[in-house]
Amino acid sequence: MSNRPEGAAVQQDVPALSFPPGIAYMDGAFVPISEAKISVLDWGLLRSDATYDVVHVWQGRFFRLDKHLDRFLSSVGKLRMTLPLERDALARVLAGCVTRSGMENAYVEMICTRGVSPTFSRDPRDAINRFIAFAIPFGWIADEEQRRRGLDVAIARDVERISPRSVDPTVKNYHWLDLVAGLFEAYERKAENVMLTDGAGNVTEGPGFNIFALTGGRVITPDIGVLEGITRGAAIDLCAELAMPVDIAPLPVATLKAAEEVFITSTAGGIMPVTRIDAAAVADGKPGAFTARLAELYWAKHQDPTWSTAVEDLLA
Ligand SMILES: *Cc1c(COP(=O)(O)O)cnc(C)c1O
């Protein structure tokens, strides 16, 4: 006998084989990624009431882990959540997920959700916050071909980035309905990715990345309405090393489209060139020399102990 109402289709469990390899940590234990599951009553799911951070491991080394931990702990604090573990223990958990997964290059996510209220009350103060971490294989926003020739992006017309007065963009969050709507709009327009504006003529960011333009011997990246990306920070620091001035200032769509070079930054892929915007070439339509220099330096820093930490050193 089945409990299924007559005529109801069975929605199969996602088969374990469809999961990427990976290890998660939840409720104090490391488990295969396919076994890491939360309650449907968790406010992280029901309200997108959660914050997270993603750090990557490249050739066995975490990149700028301290900056990711600073941002995550600050986000948790701003949302009035509490973690069940201290900063050092958190770092060891992340390292534990990576070593147990056996991966040299990994995408390592830490999440804190509001959790479930034991009485199912609607008061967020009653909920017991939940912490989860996991390591899965490293992933890229732009695939190899896209990184070689540059991304083709659309600037969304039908949707704008959620206002920083509504959701604090410096808290890394899952309020992605605007970004996802933008992606569908971009795909309809035959573009590969999307950038959202602030509704006042300036670009903000895209799904999981920040935006930069090189114009008139200076680099510009938006100042407000964006997550302060760790890769954005790395690009700013690398510009300083190369004596390239950076303006953290509004970036009008017109300035972006007329730029000599455009690139995006993300933990999921680093510094990546954009060569088409709204079906028109950026400059000569080829990835720029400065972007290439920056990306090369960015990857070289992954071996530099002032920018990176060996995974096993966290477990010593
Ligand atoms: C994660 C993210 C970024 C990029 O931040 P990094 O720390 O460089 O990975 C940019 N915008 C949004 C909305 C993000 O979620």
Side-chain angles (χ1 to χ4, degrees):
M1 277 297 286
S2 124
N3 294 323
R4 189 173 356 129
E6 205 147 330
V10 194
Q11 195 178 345
Q12 295 287 351
D13 251 5
V14 180
L17 276 175
S18 72
F19 281 92
I23 295 292
Y25 173 92
M26 62 191 299
D27 299 328
F30 293 96
V31 293
I33 193 79
S34 57
E35 287 171 24
K37 295 175 180 175
I38 63 162
S39 165
V40 294
L41 296 176
D42 193 303
W43 283 38
L45 176 69
L46 296 181
R47 310 268 199 275
S48 287
D49 189 348
T51 185
Y52 73 113
D53 217 288
V54 179
V55 57
H56 70 221
V57 167
W58 191 252
Q59 296 176 352
R61 303 179 69 84
F62 279 103
F63 188 63
R64 296 200 133 180
L65 177 61
D66 277 331
K67 291 186 188 293
H68 286 278
L69 294 177
D70 287 346
R71 184 173 67 184
F72 182 59
L73 295 176
S74 145
S75 296
V76 166
K78 285 178 185 169
L79 296 186
R80 302 172 189 237
M81 293 174 180
T82 49
L83 290 174
L85 69 193
E86 302 289 337
R87 184 190 178 102
D88 289 354
L90 168 56
R92 280 195 300 276
V93 160
L94 301 178
C97 290
V98 176
T99 51
R100 282 169 176 79
S101 75
M103 290 181 295
E104 278 288 289
N105 303 322
Y107 176 104
V108 186
E109 182 152 341
M110 60 209 95
I111 305 170
C112 188
T113 73
R114 188 70 60 195
V116 177
S117 153
T119 60
F120 308 109
S121 86
R122 300 179 68 86
D123 184 337
R125 293 170 301 185
D126 296 340
I128 298 168
N129 304 159
R130 171 173 277 291
F131 169 74
I132 307 165
F134 62 82
I136 55 173
F138 185 87
W140 303 83
I141 283 185
D143 65 25
E144 209 178 328
E145 193 218 322
Q146 291 168 340
R147 297 198 299 278
R148 202 172 348 99
R149 63 156 159 80
L151 277 164
D152 179 344
V153 305
I155 296 175
R157 298 176 193 136
D158 300 344
V159 63
E160 64 192 45
R161 189 73 177 115
I162 194 167
S163 163
R165 287 177 300 278
S166 299
V167 173
D168 180 353
T170 67
V171 172
K172 198 168 166 76
N173 65 67
Y174 295 124
H175 287 260
W176 272 49
L177 296 187
D178 51 351
L179 296 165
V180 171
L183 272 177
F184 278 106
E185 182 188 334
Y187 298 151
E188 265 158 34
R189 290 163 54 191
K190 309 280 180 252
E192 294 164 336
N193 215 314
V194 73
M195 295 174 173
L196 266 53
T197 73
D198 60 1
N202 305 300
V203 284
T204 59
E205 59 188 347
F209 60 81
N210 291 107
I211 304 168
F212 287 74
L214 170 67
T215 175
R218 309 181 71 80
V219 158
I220 310 176
T221 194
D223 52 349
I224 52 172
V226 298
L227 177 75
E228 291 169 353
I230 305 303
T231 323
R232 171 181 180 266
I236 292 168
D237 292 348
L238 294 173
C239 283
E241 281 193 18
L242 296 172
M244 170 65 76
V246 179
D247 295 332
I248 301 173
L251 176 50
V253 170
T255 306
L256 185 79
K257 289 186 172 179
E260 291 135 46
E261 298 186 23
V262 173
F263 58 90
I264 59 168
T265 63
S266 172
T267 294
I271 295 170
M272 296 163 279
V274 171
T275 49
R276 288 178 75 77
I277 301 176
D278 285 349
V282 174
D284 66 359
K286 299 202 175 70
F290 182 73
T291 304
R293 178 87 191 90
L294 217 52
E296 191 184 310
L297 254 185
Y298 170 82
W299 288 107
K301 293 292 186 190
H302 285 65
Q303 300 305 319
D304 179 338
T306 58
W307 288 63
S308 65
T309 319
V311 174
E312 71 256 23
D313 286 357
L314 292 162
L315 298 168

